[in-house]
Amino acid sequence: MKHFKLTTETKISVLGVKLFRVEATIDFDCIEKGSKGGWVESLSNLSGNAWVSGNAEVSGNAEVYGDARVYGNAWVYGDAEVYGNARVYGNARVYGNARVSGDAEVSGNARVYGNARVYGNARVSGDAEVSGNARVYGNAWVYGDAEVYGDAEVSGDAEVSGNAEVYGNARVSGNAEVSGEVFTLNIGYSLTLTDNHIQYGCKIKTVLEWGVWLDSDNVILTSRSSDKFKLIEMSLRLAIEQHRQR
């Protein structure tokens, strides 16, 4: 038995879809039988103990299930899924093939789309965007005007904020705080670029320090006369140039 029904109250969404207001048919969690909820396109949009309320909308092939909640002015549409104890609210949008699960929250004007995944206790808020194949999980928080995309991952207790961009194959984890740009450059060797630093393997130096090191005779592990070093040098110099062009 469904825990809700479609009422006769309808509207046409901004996306041009006919939506129905839902009404609870049983008591569950803190929802009382007869309570009016938000809007769905069909019965298949909502299942389990999930609930949509306020002016929130769930449409297309999107599914909200488990104990998830979608409320405020939030939209979940396309082939997106919101489940577990996840919360999507405010003016947030979750769409495409995106997934929001666990105890994750997407709020404010945040956007999660593409094949992005937000899960665990992660939060995406403000005007932040998570897209592509990006992953945000653990206790990570992405907010402000930050963007996480490509195959990037933000995890642990990391915070990405301001106008930060994390993309490529970049990994931000632990207690890291990022407000600039992080990405991975895969040319010869994998390098991760942050605000003013370049990481090669476990070595992290400022752009200036790498420049000084390249012009010196110092050796970390690899002989400067080897072909391997030539690839490392090429990658580092390209990374430095990338910084200069920003």
Side-chain angles (χ1 to χ4, degrees):
M1 176 183 174
K2 280 281 189 183
H3 63 300
F4 73 98
K5 67 179 182 181
L6 305 182
T7 68
T8 57
E9 186 179 354
T10 64
K11 72 173 184 177
I12 303 299
S13 74
V14 173
L15 301 174
V17 175
K18 184 178 181 180
L19 302 177
F20 299 84
R21 188 178 289 281
V22 299
E23 180 181 323
T25 54
I26 59 173
D27 293 335
F28 64 98
D29 293 338
C30 296
I31 311 300
E32 296 182 357
K33 180 180 178 180
S35 296
K36 297 290 179 65
W39 304 86
V40 300
E41 183 177 355
S42 69
L43 290 170
S44 63
N45 292 135
L46 200 60
S47 62
N49 288 317
W51 190 240
V52 55
S53 59
N55 292 311
E57 302 176 5
V58 183
S59 62
N61 295 313
E63 296 181 36
V64 179
Y65 56 97
D67 293 301
R69 298 287 185 269
V70 179
Y71 54 97
N73 295 303
W75 296 355
V76 179
Y77 59 98
D79 294 301
E81 294 183 11
V82 179
Y83 55 97
N85 293 305
R87 301 290 185 264
V88 179
Y89 57 96
N91 294 304
R93 305 286 186 263
V94 179
Y95 56 99
N97 292 303
R99 303 287 186 267
V100 180
S101 61
D103 293 301
E105 295 186 4
V106 180
S107 62
N109 294 306
R111 303 289 185 265
V112 178
Y113 57 98
N115 293 306
R117 303 289 185 265
V118 179
Y119 55 98
N121 294 304
R123 292 177 289 165
V124 181
S125 61
D127 293 300
E129 294 188 7
V130 180
S131 62
N133 295 306
R135 302 290 185 266
V136 179
Y137 56 98
N139 295 307
W141 185 14
V142 180
Y143 59 100
D145 293 302
E147 295 181 29
V148 181
Y149 55 97
D151 293 303
E153 293 186 6
V154 180
S155 61
D157 294 303
E159 294 185 11
V160 178
S161 62
N163 293 306
E165 292 186 28
V166 180
Y167 56 99
N169 294 304
R171 301 291 184 265
V172 179
S173 60
N175 295 304
E177 295 183 7
V178 177
S179 57
E181 186 176 26
V182 180
F183 64 97
T184 299
L185 183 66
N186 288 303
I187 303 176
Y189 285 84
S190 180
L191 305 174
T192 298
L193 287 72
T194 60
D195 295 349
N196 192 39
H197 292 76
I198 300 172
Q199 179 175 350
Y200 163 65
C202 61
K203 301 294 183 181
I204 302 176
K205 297 177 181 290
T206 66
V207 174
L208 179 61
E209 288 171 340
W210 277 119
V212 171
W213 180 80
L214 286 171
D215 293 333
S216 72
D217 295 324
N218 295 333
V219 175
I220 294 179
L221 290 174
T222 306
S223 169
R224 285 179 171 260
S225 61
S226 67
D227 290 337
K228 181 178 178 180
F229 180 82
K230 291 176 182 177
L231 282 173
I232 295 171
E233 181 180 21
M234 178 187 72
S235 297
L236 285 169
R237 292 199 184 281
L238 283 169
I240 291 170
E241 184 61 27
Q242 183 76 36
H243 260 285
R244 289 172 178 165
Q245 291 177 3
R246 288 188 303 180

